[in-house]
Amino acid sequence: RSLAEHEGCCPWAEIECPNESKGCRVRHERGSMNIHLEECKHQEVACRVQGCDARFPRKDERSHLNTRHPPSTELAMSLLGRIAALEGRVAAAESEQCHAAASPTSWVFNWKADGWGMGRFQSETRDFGAGVTGWCVLKVASPDLEDSHFLGYYIQGNPGSTFKCRTHVTFSILDKHDATLRTVFEVGSLEEPAAEEFKGMAFAGWGFTPTEGEKAQSVRADGSVVLRAEMRLFLH
């Protein structure tokens, strides 16, 4: 997946409120924009008075009640205030639970290999929290052996203990200007991360062969190649 495609659906990217054209200037993370819309003053809402089918921006609710329903305005506003307060508490509690359950620990690994010759090249080790660490590796065998290149990742928990998590991992080859040349493989997705259960350490990897064109576009002036892994762990 290209960076542009990722940015077009990333739930952590800040985007404008859908009501921008109506005057809202708030920017919010895509994945939790619905929380903002629950309180956005420019969001269109329906009148809560039974039998009234009027719709208007939330900021005009009091004006509508005063104009269309004057006998019941005071009672309606009192009830609406209580309902809004309760809805706010419920939304906050649900948001906190969803954030705790679904927010991943994320790292981007960029590391160099000495071209496409023989060798084993490991990234730095990252701390994912909760006693879990991870790192990535590229193994390159003799150039005359087909399908000998290998990209993989390690996840290590506490020795002897069973660990559960969900993962979303992408491995890419970068060109000479650090743009994604090719995504070699992807494990899971943001919408459906892959389930992992292991004791002590987990490892996964895939073999691949870069094309001659990819080799030409990826080898830099110093003879090195840069790999990138985007790794997200959803801790249970």
Side-chain angles (χ1 to χ4, degrees), residues 107-122:
W107 287 107
V108 175
F109 299 82
N110 276 16
W111 77 104
K112 281 189 174 185
D114 294 338
W116 296 108
M118 185 178 294
R120 181 183 188 279
F121 308 95
Q122 181 174 316

Side-chain angles (χ1 to χ4, degrees), residues 72-93:
S72 58
T73 297
E74 185 175 350
L75 176 60
M77 291 306 298
S78 175
L79 292 174
L80 288 175
R82 294 181 184 181
I83 291 171
L86 288 173
E87 288 179 340
R89 292 175 187 173
V90 171

Side-chain angles (χ1 to χ4, degrees), residues 177-218:
H177 307 288
D178 288 334
T180 299
L181 182 60
R182 171 187 169 192
T183 297
V184 178
F185 65 85
E186 180 174 14
V187 181
S189 67
L190 283 175
E191 295 76 21
E192 295 186 19
E196 300 262 12
E197 181 174 353
F198 60 91
K199 190 171 184 178
M201 179 182 292
F203 170 76
W206 288 260
F208 73 102
T209 301
T211 65
E212 292 303 316
E214 288 170 343
K215 290 180 180 179
Q217 295 178 66
S218 61

Side-chain angles (χ1 to χ4, degrees), residues 88-111:
R89 292 175 187 173
V90 171
E94 290 179 345
S95 174
E96 184 176 350
Q97 290 177 355
C98 290
H99 184 78
S103 294
T105 300
S106 305
W107 287 107
V108 175
F109 299 82
N110 276 16
W111 77 104

Side-chain angles (χ1 to χ4, degrees), residues 51-234:
C52 181
D53 58 0
R55 299 185 67 84
F56 40 78
R58 183 176 279 112
K59 63 185 178 65
D60 295 337
E61 186 171 49
R62 181 181 292 274
S63 174
H64 169 77
L65 289 173
N66 287 335
T67 303
R68 296 282 298 274
H69 313 287
S72 58
T73 297
E74 185 175 350
L75 176 60
M77 291 306 298
S78 175
L79 292 174
L80 288 175
R82 294 181 184 181
I83 291 171
L86 288 173
E87 288 179 340
R89 292 175 187 173
V90 171
E94 290 179 345
S95 174
E96 184 176 350
Q97 290 177 355
C98 290
H99 184 78
S103 294
T105 300
S106 305
W107 287 107
V108 175
F109 299 82
N110 276 16
W111 77 104
K112 281 189 174 185
D114 294 338
W116 296 108
M118 185 178 294
R120 181 183 188 279
F121 308 95
Q122 181 174 316
S123 74
E124 73 276 28
T125 299
R126 297 289 180 85
D127 184 357
F128 288 101
V132 181
T133 57
W135 62 93
C136 304
V137 65
L138 168 71
K139 296 180 181 178
V140 185
S142 176
D144 59 350
L145 295 177
E146 294 294 331
D147 299 320
S148 59
H149 307 304
F150 185 87
L151 275 169
Y153 66 89
Y154 292 81
I155 305 173
Q156 182 169 328
N158 295 319
S161 62
T162 300
F163 183 78
K164 294 182 179 180
C165 68
R166 292 172 297 143
T167 59
H168 173 223
V169 185
T170 59
F171 275 90
S172 305
I173 305 170
L174 303 187
D175 66 14
K176 300 174 184 179
H177 307 288
D178 288 334
T180 299
L181 182 60
R182 171 187 169 192
T183 297
V184 178
F185 65 85
E186 180 174 14
V187 181
S189 67
L190 283 175
E191 295 76 21
E192 295 186 19
E196 300 262 12
E197 181 174 353
F198 60 91
K199 190 171 184 178
M201 179 182 292
F203 170 76
W206 288 260
F208 73 102
T209 301
T211 65
E212 292 303 316
E214 288 170 343
K215 290 180 180 179
Q217 295 178 66
S218 61
V219 177
R220 307 188 177 208
D222 63 357
S224 67
V225 174
V226 176
L227 293 304
R228 171 176 292 165
E230 297 182 40
M231 198 168 179
R232 297 176 179 87
L233 259 65
F234 297 76

